[in-house]
Amino acid sequence: MRAISGLWRWRHNPLCRATDLAEARLALAALLLLLLVAPVAGTLVGGAAEESLRRSVRDQHETRHRVGASVIRRLDDSLLDTDPEASTGRDLRSRVLARWTAPDGSTHHGAVMAGLKDPRPGDRFTIWTDRQGRLVARPLDSATATTHAVLAGFGAALLTAGLVETGRRLIMRRMTRLRHARWDQAWDRAGPDWGRTGTGS
């Protein structure tokens, strides 16, 4: 507020040039855009992302089913990396040959990742499949969807702010070049002996 009142008083100062006022107005316009447009853009993008992600969560929970599987045998002796979609990201996974029954009643078997540290034949664990028993990734949960939507909104707000600031800087650069060009023209009009008029040299 102090900057705005200072700008208001500065406009009547005899030392104030038109370019000074233009730069001050540009800075004020950029500030208003940052305060108004960036949050609105973030809210709109975040809201749209949340709606889309919630729809995806509903669809995934309708089409993906958690089913029980039993270990037939272990396929290797090493523990593999963690499950990237697990909530903690620290679940040890073992590759096993397993058998499971799909929601449509069909029986399937194949190589899967089991959340078992030391799997033995007959051990039970859960996997995610579609209705026909094909393996699918774990469905997205609501908390993760909300987090992604918030991050999308925050990213949109930052991108908008960056675009506003980039635009302000480009306009300022253009204004500075024009001002320097005018100064050069003024110096050329003054001539090479501008400070020695009447001295005869």
Side-chain angles (χ1 to χ4, degrees):
M1 203 59 163
R2 179 186 240 175
I4 295 173
S5 63
L7 173 62
W8 188 256
R9 284 195 307 270
W10 173 247
R11 69 191 181 94
H12 295 299
N13 191 315
L15 298 177
C16 179
R17 299 167 298 188
T19 55
D20 295 329
L21 282 177
E23 288 177 12
R25 287 181 182 136
L26 176 63
L28 183 61
L31 177 64
L32 290 175
L33 284 173
L34 286 174
L35 295 176
L36 299 175
V37 176
V40 169
T43 302
L44 290 175
V45 170
E50 184 171 20
E51 182 181 342
S52 174
L53 286 169
R54 287 198 182 275
R55 192 166 44 249
S56 179
V57 167
R58 281 194 304 273
D59 292 344
Q60 287 183 11
H61 279 279
E62 288 173 4
T63 59
R64 299 180 185 189
H65 306 278
R66 191 171 186 165
V67 299
S70 60
V71 175
I72 298 173
R73 66 182 168 86
R74 189 173 188 160
L75 293 179
D76 59 20
D77 293 332
S78 61
L79 290 174
L80 298 178
D81 54 357
T82 59
D83 180 5
E85 296 187 12
S87 56
T88 63
R90 294 184 182 163
D91 297 337
L92 293 174
R93 313 293 283 176
S94 300
R95 191 164 178 263
V96 298
L97 183 64
R99 178 183 296 115
W100 64 93
T101 302
D104 67 359
S106 59
T107 302
H108 299 268
H109 67 278
V112 297
M113 300 302 296
L116 302 169
K117 185 175 181 181
D118 186 24
R120 299 181 186 280
D123 285 352
R124 302 280 297 169
F125 61 99
T126 58
I127 57 173
W128 290 92
T129 70
D130 61 10
R131 181 152 184 79
Q132 290 75 34
R134 291 185 294 260
L135 293 172
V136 294
R138 175 188 311 226
L140 190 66
D141 60 44
S142 297
T144 304
T146 300
T147 301
H148 287 310
V150 168
L151 289 174
F154 188 67
L158 284 179
L159 179 62
T160 303
L163 289 174
V164 168
E165 178 60 15
T166 300
R168 185 193 73 81
R169 286 178 182 261
L170 289 174
I171 294 171
M172 281 293 299
R173 181 179 294 177
R174 176 72 176 151
M175 292 171 70
T176 302
R177 284 182 182 166
L178 287 174
R179 183 187 312 134
H180 289 170
R182 287 185 189 133
W183 284 350
D184 288 342
Q185 291 170 0
W187 281 111
D188 289 342
R189 281 194 303 270
D193 59 348
W194 63 273
R196 298 174 289 180
T197 304
T199 60
S201 55

